[in-house]
Amino acid sequence: MINIRKVRIEDLDAVAEVEAICFPEAEAATKSSLNQRINTFPDSFFVAESDGKIIGFINGCITDSRTIYDELFSNAALHIPDGEYQAIFGLDVIPEYRNKGIAARLMNYMIDISKSNGRKGVILTCKDYLINYYSKFGFKNKGESNSGHGGAKWYDMILEF
């Protein structure tokens, strides 16, 4: 059974391990950055567990921006608790648990929380091959992002409520 819950600081090591498995080093959040995120915006950082083991997570700050800009990834102080948009920095699921609907459950959980907290929508950046995946949740492609995070080419996506 998969359980989704709010992150706790004790989850830091497991979350950092999942991040390192799911993203190339140039794109992965550091343990220090994840620590800062857990401490700054735990109300928008959720983990998926299977038998007590963290197998995935979703996280991101709150912002008034309609697109993600690179500084958001590295500076948790840019989090605006009463901001208009929920940003998503990462949707991670370790390989052996992929294609089981866990990422979709995490995404829907974040969308539901964002709606209930009165946000105007959810924003994220993704690579071109994930545009169709996020479109299934109602995200619209806003075109190529200004983000140069990790040296990759990203696309801005927005889901407006």
Side-chain angles (χ1 to χ4, degrees), residues 36-77:
Q36 196 180 41
R37 293 176 189 182
I38 291 168
N39 284 307
T40 306
F41 44 85
D43 293 332
S44 55
F45 196 136
F46 303 100
V47 298
E49 293 179 310
S50 176
D51 298 319
K53 175 187 177 183
I54 294 176
I55 57 163
F57 66 89
I58 191 168
N59 77 101
C61 74
I62 310 294
T63 180
D64 284 333
S65 177
R66 291 171 48 86
T67 57
I68 290 178
Y69 53 97
D70 286 346
E71 292 80 8
L72 285 178
F73 291 115
S74 58
N75 186 354

Side-chain angles (χ1 to χ4, degrees), residues 6-20:
K6 189 163 84 169
V7 74
R8 298 186 289 255
I9 194 63
E10 307 87 75
D11 299 327
L12 177 59
D13 287 342
V15 164
E17 187 177 318
V18 169
E19 179 80 352

Side-chain angles (χ1 to χ4, degrees), residues 56-114:
F57 66 89
I58 191 168
N59 77 101
C61 74
I62 310 294
T63 180
D64 284 333
S65 177
R66 291 171 48 86
T67 57
I68 290 178
Y69 53 97
D70 286 346
E71 292 80 8
L72 285 178
F73 291 115
S74 58
N75 186 354
L78 295 172
H79 170 66
I80 303 169
D82 60 351
E84 296 183 339
Y85 292 91
Q86 172 67 59
I88 294 180
F89 293 161
L91 175 58
D92 301 34
V93 175
I94 59 175
E96 57 267 36
Y97 286 90
R98 289 183 187 158
N99 301 309
K100 299 178 188 304
I102 297 165
R105 284 188 53 199
L106 283 163
M107 179 59 77
N108 285 321
Y109 194 88
M110 182 69 97
I111 290 168
D112 290 346
I113 292 286
S114 300

